[in-house]
Structures are given as C-alpha cells and as structure tokens.
Amino acid sequence: MIDVRDRLRRPRWGEALALADGRVEVHDPLWIRAQGIDELVHQAVFGSPPERAEARWWIYGIAQALGVIPASIHALYAARGRGEIPPTFTVPAMNLRGMTYDMGRAAFRAARRLEAGAVIFEIARSEIGYTDQRPEEYAAVLMAAAVKEGFTGPLFLQGDHFQVSAKAYARDPEKELQAVRDLTAEAIAAGFYNIDIDTSTLVDLSQPTLDAQQRLNYTLCAALTRYIRSIEPPGVTISVGGEIGEVGGKNSTVEELRAFMDGYRRELGEVVGISKISVQTGTTHGGVVLPDGTLAQVAIDFEALRALSRAARLEYGLAGAVQHGASTLPEEAFHKFVECEACEVHLATGFQNMVFEMLPVAFREEIYAYLRAHHADERKPGETDEQFYYKTRKRAWGPFKQAFWELPEEVRGPIREALEARFALLFERLRVAGTRELVARYVRPVPLLRPIPTPTAETKAEEVEGLAD
C-alpha cells in the first residue's frame, strides 16, 4: 500500500496540501484546480489498486476541504412533501456513462453559472457493469470534476435502478437480494446518499387485485428500505426511492400508486420511508430508434404524471413522481415535467448520443467494429446497422474507457462545451437554476471522513452481474 503522506514529499504537492488530524488541508486551491486534480483523478481511475486507493483518498479529502460534500436530498424532498416548498421545479438526475470527468466538468460549469443546487449525478446497477465504474470511482471522479470547476455545496450521488432482476430472483431469491444489498452498502460507503430501489420488475399483472399485483414489489422495497436505514451513516437520512411501474411497460395509475404505498407502509413499520416514487408514463430507456437511425416520437401521458405526482405528494407526503427515460425527448418537452409537478427526471442516453455524434470518425468506426465483433448476438432479425449501433454502443464505454479519457483536448474541449450548453438548457427548462440557496436552506451535508488507506483496509470490489438496460 502506498503511504498517502508520500505525496506531500513530492515537488509542489507539499506546498499545496497538508494533513492535520487525518484531515486534508488545501493551501493552494488554484494549483490543485489547475493541475493537481487532473493528475489525481487519472491515477484514481487508471492506477494500480494501491495507487487508486491513495488518489481517491486525496480526492475525497480535497473535495470536502473545498466544500464539495456528498449529501442526501431527503430533507429537500420531505419539505416538498410537507408543502413547505412548492412543486415548481424538477430535479435532473443525470447518468454519466462515460467521459465522466469531462461530462461532470460540463455539468458543474453549468450548475455553478446558473446557481443550480438541486441536481443529482447517478449510475444504475446495469451501468456499473458495462461502463466499468464502481461507485467509489464514480464518486471520486465527480468530486474531482466539481473541484476542477470550482463548484461547491452538497453533491447528490445516487444509485439509480438498484434493481432486483426478475430472472435472477426466480432462480435464487436470497442470492439476488444479497447482491442488491451488497451493492447498496458499497454505494453508501462511497458517498451515495440517495438510493433508488427498483423491485418493480416483480410486479405481477396477472394477479386479480392491485394489492396482489404490487405485493412482492412493496414487500421487498420495504425490506430494502429497512436495510438502508440500518447502515446509513450517523447524521444522514438517505433519500430512498421506490418504483411501481417498470420503464417501458404498462403505464402507471393512481390506483396502483395507492396499492403500493398502502402495502409499503404496512410492511415498513416505524422507520423513515421513501421520499419519491418512480412511475411509467410512456417512455423507454434510450428511446426507440427507427431503421434510419432517427428516434421515434414518444407519447408521454403527462396527465397521468400530474395525477401521480399530486397523489404522491398530497396523500403520502412524498416529493412527487419520478420520470425515467426522458433524455431523448425534444427540448420543448422538458418544461412539461415542471408543469406536471414531477419531482425528478432521469437523463442518460441523450448525453451519450451527443458524445458519439462528435467523436472523430475513425474512433467511432473502431468502436462499431468492436460492437460487430463482440455483441453480434444482440442484433435482432431485420435490424439495420443504425439500430444495432444505437442500441449497443453503450457497451463500448467500459472497454474504451481509457481511449475516451485520453482523446486529445481538441476533441474533448468542444464536447464539454456542447454538453455544458445542453446541461444549462435542461437546468433552465426544469427550473433548477437558482436553487442553490434553497438547497442550502434544507440540506446539511455530513462530512464523509475516510480513514487513511492501509493494506488491511483495502478491499477488492466484486463485479456485479450486468443487467439489461
């Protein structure tokens, strides 16, 4: 194990940083932002295991010394559920599948410029596998991006779709639940203080009553909520989300919401419950690509979203409903989420599309050749090349992670600029611009104190079985 103190003996580092009682002090933030954080974050991703541990420890410490602290959005959502905060904004939850340092920098630049505090960065269980980003790495890279761009304030990291696979659950229920518990514990230890439980895969629409249809969903969601409460850090109430309808499936109804929530509350007991509820209103993850490569127009049932959000808030004290699969919608659609009082909207594929459209042609073709060689089994009969590449290119993020990272600045710079403009537009349309002060009023981050890494403290993360997105 590398001794973290060795860094202080290197040229320039000892002038910029110091240790006091196990905490990091930053004496030269300008040099750290200009040069030091770039070196650290690269080592945190691509170094040897001891090097990664050392770099991540410094990143966590530097970030918190400079005011970037992992936090739960629960208090803000609870205030919205009580009616203290009007439902006049929708929080963007952004999945950064690759080029995470550059994407994060773009998002933090937009957030800082617009004084946007109510923004979430998330990664799903499936994405962890195919993007090769464990929670601790994802957290460290985003903290580094925030430091680089001078963003300060609560950092909302979220485990998205910590999903129970219906197939795996059918084979071995306890093994699958333990896998979700293990991933949840790993994420919380990394600073993910927002966890979206997804047991909606187990809803059984063949059952005769709504309660019976939702029973396994709400029972397991309650059990996983209790587990989260048992391991959350002192002083932190983790924001937990539930889900009543699988994205891409049947549209959700208020009656299903009530069946889930009533059963969930019975099963939960006295512990703090969920603060939001994910629903299905007509979207699919990634959108539907047509044979010519264009996206099909999505018909979202905004009235259903409005009814579900209001019922969740007024009847159950939740912040509202959560919309998934929205990033490929046209720009003019995003203000409707605010009008329909949705509390949160999840965005992923649209950012991926922007990156791929701006890649050098030769690099993109290299990726597509890889997809043809390694993922041909995912190609459906009659599928065009455009449809196949669109569907499978997310699987290139992991194998090409270092190649993406090391693209020249003349490629990455324009991508960051385009992404920053997109993030800014979304923040404005979703009306989270100017929410920094509101977040500060309700959210009190608890510093994440990490012990100095030692050989006995180092653990090796186990790979999580990838799930289809």
Side-chain angles (χ1 to χ4, degrees):
M1 171 62 67
I2 296 172
D3 187 341
V4 299
R5 298 169 185 83
D6 288 342
R7 186 169 295 273
L8 301 179
R9 292 186 278 272
R10 300 181 192 177
R12 201 68 185 83
W13 285 98
E15 301 170 23
L17 300 174
L19 284 177
D21 297 325
R23 296 174 183 267
V24 176
E25 294 179 347
V26 179
H27 294 162
D28 190 349
L30 292 180
W31 181 81
I32 289 293
R33 289 183 172 121
Q35 182 177 334
I37 200 67
D38 293 335
E39 178 183 326
L40 278 172
V41 74
H42 189 274
Q43 181 178 309
V45 177
F46 300 111
S48 66
E51 289 172 337
R52 290 198 302 267
E54 186 256 353
R56 291 172 188 179
W57 187 87
W58 278 111
I59 289 171
Y60 274 71
I62 289 168
Q64 291 178 89
L66 295 178
V68 181
I69 304 176
S72 167
I73 205 169
H74 176 87
L76 185 74
Y77 279 0
R80 180 164 165 152
R82 293 191 302 267
E84 295 176 16
I85 297 174
T88 53
F89 62 92
T90 300
V91 176
M94 300 166 291
N95 302 61
L96 309 187
R97 293 172 175 168
M99 294 188 71
T100 304
Y101 188 47
D102 286 293
M103 280 200 190
R105 287 182 58 188
F108 287 121
R109 282 181 66 87
R112 184 182 179 192
R113 174 162 53 87
L114 296 174
E115 291 287 305
V119 296
I120 291 172
F121 297 89
E122 64 180 6
I123 190 165
R125 183 185 178 192
S126 59
E127 290 170 328
I128 289 170
Y130 65 72
T131 68
D132 186 23
Q133 296 184 102
R134 303 299 308 177
E136 186 179 80
E137 176 185 312
Y138 191 78
V141 171
L142 282 167
M143 288 182 190
V147 167
K148 180 73 174 179
E149 298 302 334
F151 176 90
T152 60
L155 174 60
F156 300 117
L157 299 171
Q158 182 159 277
D160 176 36
H161 282 303
F162 276 22
Q163 184 181 88
V164 174
S165 163
K167 290 182 179 178
Y169 185 83
R171 289 193 301 267
D172 190 333
E174 181 51 34
K175 181 180 179 181
E176 176 62 5
L177 290 175
Q178 189 58 46
V180 174
R181 287 191 290 265
D182 290 346
L183 177 59
T184 300
E186 179 187 343
I188 292 172
F192 283 62
Y193 295 158
N194 309 274
I195 304 291
D196 278 358
I197 299 169
D198 183 5
T199 47
S200 68
T201 53
L202 304 177
V203 171
D204 185 354
L205 297 177
S206 70
Q207 294 296 319
T209 66
L210 293 176
D211 179 78
Q213 291 172 14
Q214 293 285 338
R215 186 170 297 143
L216 192 53
N217 182 20
Y218 67 64
T219 300
L220 293 182
C221 185
L224 289 170
T225 303
R226 289 193 300 272
Y227 173 71
I228 290 170
R229 298 293 173 228
S230 74
I231 64 170
E232 61 190 358
V236 176
T237 301
I238 289 173
S239 174
V240 180
E243 186 158 344
I244 61 170
E246 191 173 1
V247 177
K250 169 190 170 297
N251 281 11
S252 303
T253 67
V254 171
E255 290 74 22
E256 287 171 332
L257 169 67
R258 290 173 179 144
F260 172 87
M261 286 302 303
D262 292 344
Y264 174 79
R265 285 184 164 183
R266 288 194 306 269
E267 293 288 331
L268 187 64
E270 297 301 316
V271 302
V272 178
I274 60 174
S275 60
K276 58 185 177 179
I277 190 75
S278 293
V279 300
Q280 164 62 2
T281 59
T283 61
T284 59
H285 282 134
V288 176
V289 64
L290 300 173
D292 64 356
T294 60
L295 290 172
Q297 189 170 3
V298 178
I300 295 181
D301 189 342
F302 283 106
E303 288 308 309
L305 182 61
R306 186 195 310 274
L308 287 158
S309 287
R310 287 184 174 175
R313 192 177 73 255
L314 299 177
E315 298 180 28
Y316 297 100
L318 306 183
V322 178
Q323 176 71 56
H324 288 264
S327 66
T328 56
L329 295 175
E331 294 177 1
E332 58 270 17
F334 284 93
H335 73 279
K336 294 183 179 179
F337 295 117
V338 180
E339 293 175 0
C340 294
E341 303 174 8
C343 68
E344 189 175 299
V345 60
H346 289 216
L347 308 163
T349 305
F351 310 135
Q352 172 179 283
N353 292 348
M354 290 180 66
V355 171
F356 272 85
E357 288 165 6
M358 297 182 69
L359 290 178
V361 173
F363 183 46
R364 187 167 57 239
E365 288 305 314
E366 181 183 355
I367 289 172
Y368 288 171
Y370 168 85
L371 296 175
R372 290 193 299 271
H374 295 274
H375 294 281
D377 59 327
E378 297 182 38
R379 189 165 194 156
K380 296 180 180 179
E383 202 168 51
T384 65
D385 286 345
E386 289 77 8
Q387 289 173 311
F388 170 70
Y389 296 143
Y390 185 90
K391 181 182 68 176
T392 58
R393 62 190 182 184
K394 66 185 181 182
R395 303 199 180 280
W397 287 118
F400 287 85
K401 180 164 70 171
Q402 189 159 0
F404 273 107
W405 193 288
E406 296 176 356
L407 286 169
E409 176 61 21
E410 56 264 32
V411 174
R412 292 184 294 111
I415 289 175
R416 281 198 309 273
E417 291 176 4
L419 285 167
E420 180 185 347
R422 181 63 175 175
F423 287 128
L425 181 147
L426 291 169
F427 296 167
E428 290 174 330
R429 292 288 173 88
L430 297 172
R431 297 185 186 172
V432 294
T435 55
R436 177 183 171 88
E437 182 180 345
L438 182 66
V439 168
R441 192 185 314 160
Y442 284 95
V443 177
R444 300 288 185 270
V446 177
L448 175 60
L449 300 179
R450 296 168 61 84
I452 294 176
T454 65
T456 56
E458 184 180 4
T459 59
K460 182 179 179 181
E462 296 180 353
E463 291 187 357
V464 169
E465 178 184 358
L467 303 176
D469 187 11

